[in-house]
Amino acid sequence: MSDIISTLKRLVQLGNTELSVEQRINHWLKIAKRILTLVNANPALAAATLHIDNDLPKDTQHLLLLALFGKLCRLNDHYLQHVLASLLASLWLSSKGTPSDQTANIIRFLRKHNLSIWLDIIKLQKAFRSDKPINYVADIRLNMVQRLCLLANVFATKTKKADYREVFTQIVLRLPAHHRHLIAPLINLFNGVLPGAKVYANGVPGALVDIQQNHGYVFMLSQDDEDGKWLPLSSIRSPISLSMPFEHFVALYTDTATARVNHGGTPLLPSTFAIQTVFSFRLKALNRRF
């Protein structure tokens, strides 16, 4: 358990100032790929940060939630990797220790290589560092990916997670009509019970450890000497919103890893395909360097 917590806390490494611009871009792409691999394999860990108070760095939560939201909205891995990397770039550029000439060099490089999505995300630096990022989410000038970045930032910024459903409802009501359907895939996530919640499964108290689209793995007392079992989400209830400490959830998630292996059911994250054609050939060539 401590290994997972330690890995999560060290996940975001923005890189030192000695790197060249091209080295820095590739460094961010590598970190983004690492984050995406983790969320693809363990979406429950990212989902749990939505509602469980934790001491993970805000930037880490931001990136985990952005990866989760992006996958649920069917952004493919190649595209989402660059979105995550551009967020890392934005976080580095907005940090106090970043020299101004480095900022100019990064922007010049991105323009030269037509990396427009990176430039779109970098424009949001002020919003990412705001104490009230929710004030920026409804801006009609935002594109879909910018809005997802800000949505993830809202939930990463909140130190108390208890009202995450209410906040999501407030945000959706304020969104421009032409973007509301685009975040429809997130509704089930916010309406359902999340990993780490204390629940009742078929009337028996337990803890939800993992979720698929239609099933949840519940750790509960059993006469069959089982650690837990996969059950239909329709049989899992959380009449009172209660969650276990984040460290306890991670420990339980780790201890049940073997028992949770299931070859049936529908995974939480939908399949994606190479349909995002935002990037130029130059970007693809750059991406092949690591």
Side-chain angles (χ1 to χ4, degrees), residues 41 52 68 74 153 162 242 250 275 289:
I52 303 179
L68 177 64
R74 293 185 179 272
N153 189 39
L242 295 174
V250 172
I275 58 174
R289 294 189 181 184

Side-chain angles (χ1 to χ4, degrees), residues 78 112-115 277-286:
H78 174 77
K112 178 181 177 181
H113 291 82
N114 300 318
L115 304 185
T277 57
V278 174
F279 302 108
S280 67
F281 176 79
R282 289 182 180 179
L283 176 66
K284 295 177 182 178
L286 177 67

Side-chain angles (χ1 to χ4, degrees), residues 115-132:
L115 304 185
S116 58
I117 186 61
W118 290 63
L119 295 169
D120 286 345
I121 304 305
I122 287 172
K123 291 176 184 177
L124 304 177
Q125 291 179 59
K126 180 180 177 181
F128 292 150
R129 293 304 181 189
S130 171
D131 293 332
K132 295 182 179 180

Side-chain angles (χ1 to χ4, degrees), residues 131-142:
D131 293 332
K132 295 182 179 180
I134 193 172
N135 294 338
Y136 295 86
V137 179
D139 193 319
I140 196 170
R141 295 169 295 179
L142 299 174

